[in-house]
Amino acid sequence: AHGVTPLNNTHVQLPLGKGRRDIGSFILAGVDDPLGFPNMEAALPPETGERGRARPPVVLAAHRPSPHVEAASRAGVAAQLSGHTHGGQLWPVHVPALQASHGFLSGLYTVGSTQLYVSDGTVGSYMTRLRLLTQTEITQVRLRSRPGRGLGLRQADVGIAMSKVWALVVALGLLAMLKSHIDHRGSARELQHLELQGP
């Protein structure tokens, strides 16, 4: 399809380095979405290749970070690149989005020996392009032989924190209303009791 190879439950081996400076290769693999027909076994090459050599490092493209990252980690995948979450997209959706994505909302994570990067993406969802406390991004990935460094605080982290504070404020407000209601009912009973006894 116009020179593009879809990586749906399959993989390709690509060279590292440019031109005359060939320094090895890596595997770029892709696995289908959980709503489709994911097959991690078909997506990844065997751990040992020709002549018993260990396979090159594997970078897995998976639309959703979970459940694939757990299987990728068990299979020895070096890195997984995912999206789907839009970084929560609109505050206060961050907390339910965080739970739905099994804790992988935005940024860099380490699962076993696998580095997982979850991109916030460039556009919004099919419903809206609006974003609040999340960023649009085009991610440049550099493959290195050592783990990546943390990315620091991301806007989605602020959204998660604000959602938790908002939930706490709502809970405290509800408790205050309940206490006020109980106190009011107690005062009404005391007043009724006094009225029945008379002067």
Side-chain angles (χ1 to χ4, degrees), residues 3 7 11-12 57 59 69 78 82 103-104 120 126 133 143 149-150 159 162-163 171 193:
L7 294 176
H11 58 273
V12 294
V59 176
V69 72
S82 294
F104 306 114
D120 291 353
Y126 65 93
L133 290 176
L143 302 177
R149 62 182 187 270
M162 286 184 60
S163 295
H193 181 69

Side-chain angles (χ1 to χ4, degrees), residues 47-162:
E47 291 198 37
T48 54
E50 297 173 14
R51 298 181 221 137
R53 292 184 185 178
R55 73 177 178 207
V58 176
V59 176
L60 176 68
H63 179 70
R64 296 176 197 234
S66 186
H68 297 307
V69 72
E70 292 85 0
S73 178
R74 288 190 300 274
V77 169
Q80 178 177 317
L81 306 175
S82 294
H84 181 70
T85 66
H86 298 260
Q89 189 161 337
L90 286 169
W91 183 84
V93 175
H94 293 78
V95 171
L98 179 69
Q99 292 171 341
S101 64
H102 301 272
F104 306 114
L105 183 67
S106 174
L108 187 63
Y109 301 88
T110 301
V111 179
S113 62
T114 300
Q115 294 285 303
L116 167 66
Y117 184 76
V118 183
S119 171
D120 291 353
T122 56
V123 189
S125 72
Y126 65 93
M127 293 187 287
T128 181
R129 294 178 65 163
L130 181 66
R131 287 177 180 254
L132 182 58
L133 290 176
T134 192
Q135 61 194 6
T136 59
E137 67 181 2
I138 296 175
T139 306
Q140 179 181 12
V141 177
R142 291 187 180 170
L143 302 177
R144 299 182 181 209
S145 59
R146 63 184 186 279
R149 62 182 187 270
L151 301 172
L153 188 66
R154 294 174 61 85
Q155 289 181 7
D157 296 327
V158 175
I160 291 166
M162 286 184 60

